[in-house]
Amino acid sequence: MSGYNSNNIENQTRKKLKLGRQMNDKKTIDLFLNVFYVVDDSLPEFKKIRLQNLLKNNGGKPGNVSESSEESLTPNLYVSSNRVYPFDSDSVVKSVTPLWVEKAVSNGFVHDVSNYSPVLYQFLSGAVLLLLDLPNDDRDAITNEVKRFGGQIRDDITTDLTHMICLDPRGAQYNQCMELKIPVVLPQWLDECFRHKKRMDVELFCFPDPIVYYENNPTPAKLYPYYDKEQISSAGDYNMVLEDEVIYFGNDINIKEDFKIILEDAVERAGGKIADQYSHQLVTIVILKNRATPECRMVAKDQKLIASLWWLTNTLSRGYYNSPLSTLLDYPTPPGGLPGMENNVITIAGYGNVTKYYLRRLVTALGARYDSAINIETTHLICGRTISEKYAKAKTFPEITIVNHLWLEDCYQLWELMNFAGDSRYTFIPRENPILDASAGRTNLLVAELERWMNVDTVPEFYSSHNDNDNREEGSVNIRQRRKAAIKATRVLNDIVMPDANAFEREMSRQSSNSSSSRRRD
């Protein structure tokens, strides 16, 4: 009995010891000091043997779950890909993924086991980040999300650092990371990881030449409204952004002749020209209304740049080139609505003029119906700030779903009716802070999602939208006639945490309670 008590006390003592060599410990300490491990039998045999060898060769000792063993070593670490320690009821045994072991060997010290749970969806496990030049409020929000999904934050460059996140590519830490070949990426990379809940490739966001930036102008493009004849007449005067480009308007683009003349003149001033007929040899850019059409697939096969009419007017106004893939609605829209959206009536509040206009176009592209007023038909309120008459009124209707613009953008990007329940990214709405307004319109189109539309066998389901008559490519429509305007948006890439990057316009004048007069003002 005394022998059992002695073993039991010794095992309890082991459980309280720190597991392995920590970052600041001497290298003479065994890497897996005090680690008594059990490896999940369900792992592939070769992987199980490799993990056991890594643990044993670096100071770890096999744990024994049998109390009848004379030299019973109560385990304190369980290695599994998808389950926790099955013999432990009070959670004293730490369960980790194989990545915890592998990262410890490659780094020379162990990480906190809480970042490597085999049952929590920690897609950032192993990611160790340095946040360089982000505003404090955004830094705190990003830090919380990174830790929530298994990532870690460092205050300086460390030997285990995997990424540096920054907006301004300069300074000693940036230079050191570049020399060490540590990826330095834009904050949008994290935004995409959080949005899709998986570790995204850093290629699009990686310095020194992130693809999401215009190569000669690393300033995020501004968000513009769709231009009328008077506004487009002055575009393209001071740049050659379309130099040597030959632009063809696809068969589904219906531009009024007077607007086409003005547009052609602006294109020529920017160095390009418009072709009357499609030529594989001459045309470089094809403007289309819809994706997933035979014409769209043909020009994609010809490797032409495909864009929406809105991209063209935006590019002329920006004065520099942004890929149509860096925005949602600068690329042709799906030919119909998202199934499940057809009965939704959506209104918008708490966003500035330009952002609200972009979001309204997104609502229509999804096949939902936009209404400027809250009423008994309203199903959703897309809200950027709680200081809003519409927000207060929507709270009196329990059946109205209140979310921010990220829900709308994700529904469009993934072509799926996203579940907002329990996802703070969709339900977070600040009181006054304009951060949501500043962050709208920055989602990059994913190539993998677009490829689904280009293959006749993988085209997502869509329905013939009741908004089709509102989506004609009239071209000469001005801001006061938006219901007849093309479905495009001013999706310009702003950095994830730049609420002060551009001076967005003040929120539109509050709508009258008379919904019909409100629609006329829109």
Side-chain angles (χ1 to χ4, degrees), residues 115 124-125 127-129 131 140-153 165 190 194:
N115 296 308
L124 288 180
S125 286
V128 181
L129 314 178
L131 308 180
D140 292 343
I142 289 175
T143 297
N144 291 336
E145 286 295 282
V146 167
K147 291 181 177 180
R148 173 188 172 194
F149 293 115
Q152 300 173 71
I153 301 293
I165 312 297
L190 280 176
F194 297 148

Side-chain angles (χ1 to χ4, degrees), residues 52-317:
Q52 289 170 339
N53 288 338
L54 288 175
L55 289 160
K56 186 175 182 180
N57 293 340
N58 288 280
K61 296 181 180 180
N64 194 325
V65 299
S66 173
E67 294 185 0
S68 63
S69 172
E70 293 183 0
E71 297 184 5
S72 176
L73 298 178
T74 301
N76 54 17
L77 186 80
Y78 182 64
V79 185
S80 175
S81 293
N82 54 18
R83 60 180 181 175
V84 296
Y85 186 57
F87 305 103
D88 187 56
S89 59
D90 54 2
S91 301
V92 294
V93 177
K94 305 299 182 183
S95 298
V96 296
T97 62
L99 185 61
W100 181 85
V101 178
E102 294 163 358
K103 280 291 184 179
V105 173
S106 63
N107 292 329
F109 55 87
V110 300
H111 282 161
D112 191 318
V113 295
S114 65
N115 296 308
Y116 294 84
S117 170
V119 292
L120 299 178
Y121 190 47
Q122 295 181 321
F123 54 84
L124 288 180
S125 286
V128 181
L129 314 178
L130 171 62
L131 308 180
L132 186 58
D133 56 358
L134 308 183
N136 289 335
D137 289 346
D138 299 303
R139 177 189 294 270
D140 292 343
I142 289 175
T143 297
N144 291 336
E145 286 295 282
V146 167
K147 291 181 177 180
R148 173 188 172 194
F149 293 115
Q152 300 173 71
I153 301 293
R154 298 284 184 259
D155 294 326
D156 203 347
I157 295 176
T158 56
T159 56
D160 64 339
L161 193 69
T162 61
H163 302 79
M164 185 173 85
I165 312 297
C166 78
L167 294 170
D168 191 7
R170 61 180 177 177
Q173 290 175 311
Y174 170 80
N175 293 334
Q176 187 177 351
C177 283
M178 297 301 287
E179 291 176 4
L180 295 172
K181 300 188 183 306
I182 296 172
V184 180
V185 298
L186 289 166
Q188 286 96 330
W189 173 69
L190 280 176
D191 193 32
E192 291 301 297
C193 292
F194 297 148
R195 190 180 298 272
H196 303 292
K197 288 187 170 56
K198 66 178 180 179
R199 181 89 70 92
M200 304 296 290
D201 195 307
V202 299
E203 182 181 2
L204 286 174
F205 314 95
C206 204
F207 286 104
D209 298 305
I211 295 174
V212 295
Y213 273 175
Y214 174 55
E215 61 182 1
N216 294 321
N217 189 343
T219 302
K222 290 181 64 176
L223 191 65
Y224 289 96
Y226 182 65
Y227 280 87
D228 63 15
K229 290 186 289 186
E230 182 177 349
Q231 291 169 312
I232 199 63
S233 295
S234 61
D237 285 346
Y238 306 108
N239 61 75
M240 295 294 286
V241 65
L242 297 176
E243 186 173 9
D244 298 328
E245 300 288 3
V246 179
I247 300 170
Y248 172 74
F249 294 105
N251 294 326
D252 58 1
I253 298 288
N254 179 24
I255 305 178
K256 290 182 177 179
E257 192 61 31
D258 58 346
F259 183 75
K260 186 173 182 180
I261 292 172
I262 294 172
L263 188 60
E264 184 170 8
D265 182 57
V267 167
E268 289 178 354
R269 292 198 308 273
K273 64 179 181 179
I274 294 177
D276 293 329
Q277 295 183 339
Y278 178 73
S279 167
H280 171 66
Q281 290 78 21
L282 298 178
V283 170
T284 58
I285 300 174
V286 178
I287 305 299
L288 297 171
K289 174 185 175 182
N290 294 139
R291 64 184 78 161
T293 63
E295 185 177 31
C296 184
R297 295 190 187 100
M298 178 193 72
V299 297
K301 187 176 181 180
D302 288 346
Q303 298 184 331
K304 304 302 179 184
L305 181 76
I306 300 173
S308 70
L309 185 59
W310 204 316
W311 172 87
L312 180 58
T313 58
N314 273 335
T315 301
L316 289 167
S317 302

